[in-house]
Amino acid sequence: MAARTHDPVAVLGIGTMGHGMATSALRAGIPTIVWNREAAATRDLADLGAEVAGTAADAAGRAAIVVTMVTDADAVVSIAHDQGMLRALTPGAIWVQMSTIGIAGIERVAALAEGERPDITLLDAPVSGSKEPAARGELTIFASGPDAARARVTPLFDALGQRTVWVGPVGNGTRLKLVNNTWLGFGAEAVDASVALAHRLGLETETVANALSGGPIVSPWQAAKLQRILEGDFSPQFPLSLALKDLHLALEAADEDRFAALACLADEWQGVVDQGLGDQDLTVVTRALELQEGAR
């Protein structure tokens, strides 16, 4: 199916990720309806051709595929139930839940959809990627749900991501996202702690970046994070507070006593968030570690 004949898509939640995703859908020629609690976030999307809805229910009622991309499970349920999204969906519509809400969250959402609208299809499809990949349509999508829905969402997923991985029934997408973000958390900590250690040992960030980037132990993502630290740029691509939220979701889904390293990482990051740095990129942990060292 060509993008220009694609079913209308509604994107509910125009934060950093939702904004980039809506932009990518519009760039692909997909008719896109957007809604956000604070309408100001949608203004430039209207200039790009998006229809701006006044309510979540209004947006959902005009779309065949509805994407939710918000902070947590409570926000998803608020949109779906309290704000009337589920009631407004047309029979046969597809709800693509792309927020990272954890296993308990997706089970709650699935029960809500089944109880209120068994005539629609729920897909669980969280994404891997941050601000820039979202805006460029280069996300990885961990999709799960009925096989019969794949063809209808393929043009949308192709617009939003460079890769879609289908992993079985609803809930598996969320499970894979927790694994992905656990990997990401430890990968970020490798950068943060190593740079902080280098500084304590009298080495410059540039020395570390030149020595390690391009080698077998540094991923392209880590190399890019090293470069941003070198430039002193801690503006949020992936805010630390959201990364921490995802670590807590992973810990909730696992046995914390058996994942002591992950629990310690979450505790360290919580301390940095408590310092008021949660709205910065997760690489800001480097700065916080250095401040701790300076206080000794």
Side-chain angles (χ1 to χ4, degrees):
M1 183 183 295
R4 63 180 176 273
T5 61
H6 192 279
D7 292 332
V9 171
V11 180
L12 309 184
I14 307 299
T16 298
M17 295 297 291
H19 188 282
M21 292 161 67
T23 300
S24 294
L26 289 163
R27 186 171 56 245
I30 296 172
T32 304
I33 305 149
V34 296
W35 171 83
N36 193 61
R37 200 179 303 269
E38 297 180 2
T42 66
R43 287 174 186 158
D44 64 325
L45 295 173
D47 294 337
L48 294 176
E51 296 181 40
V52 178
T55 65
D58 177 33
R62 291 195 265 157
I65 299 172
V66 175
V67 171
T68 46
M69 177 52 87
V70 290
T71 304
D72 53 30
D74 286 344
V76 174
V77 170
S78 174
I79 289 171
H81 177 75
D82 303 340
Q83 299 181 54
M85 183 205 84
L86 274 174
R87 290 190 299 274
L89 289 174
T90 58
I94 296 176
W95 175 14
V96 188
Q97 206 310 104
M98 305 188 84
S99 319
T100 301
I101 59 175
I103 294 174
I106 192 60
E107 290 176 349
R108 182 181 170 195
V109 164
L112 181 65
E114 178 62 27
E116 292 195 12
R117 291 299 304 269
D119 59 326
I120 62 104
T121 298
L122 173 67
L123 297 181
D124 166 37
V127 302
S128 176
S130 55
K131 178 179 179 179
E132 292 177 7
R136 294 194 300 258
E138 296 176 355
L139 298 168
T140 296
I141 301 170
F142 303 132
S144 58
D147 290 346
R150 291 192 188 187
R152 284 181 62 192
V153 298
T154 291
L156 174 63
F157 285 2
D158 286 349
L160 303 185
Q162 61 182 349
R163 183 174 179 231
T164 298
V165 183
W166 287 92
V167 290
V170 164
N172 279 1
T174 285
R175 288 174 170 85
L176 189 54
K177 177 60 188 293
L178 296 181
V179 171
N180 177 86
N181 278 28
T182 298
W183 190 293
L184 180 150
F186 283 117
E189 182 68 6
V191 176
D192 296 341
S194 296
V195 171
L197 175 63
H199 292 171
R200 168 167 273 201
L201 299 177
L203 299 173
E204 299 294 333
T205 305
E206 184 175 10
T207 302
V208 177
N210 290 339
L212 301 185
S213 295
I217 64 172
V218 177
S219 71
W221 182 84
Q222 289 174 313
K225 291 300 185 185
L226 263 174
Q227 184 62 37
R228 284 169 60 85
I229 293 172
L230 176 61
E231 296 168 357
D233 183 1
F234 298 100
S235 59
Q237 290 186 314
F238 190 6
L240 179 63
S241 60
L242 294 183
L244 175 61
K245 177 209 74 172
D246 292 351
L247 290 190
H248 283 307
L249 291 174
L251 283 166
E252 288 171 10
D255 184 340
E256 294 193 29
D257 292 338
R258 297 183 181 180
F259 289 83
L262 184 58
C264 287
L265 179 57
D267 287 344
E268 179 188 88
W269 286 10
Q270 184 65 61
V272 180
V273 169
D274 290 344
Q275 295 175 39
L277 299 173
D279 61 345
Q280 298 295 298
D281 193 71
L282 76 173
T283 50
V284 79
V285 172
T286 298
R287 177 178 287 173
L289 290 173
E290 291 172 357
L291 291 174
Q292 289 174 2
E293 292 164 3
R296 289 174 183 166

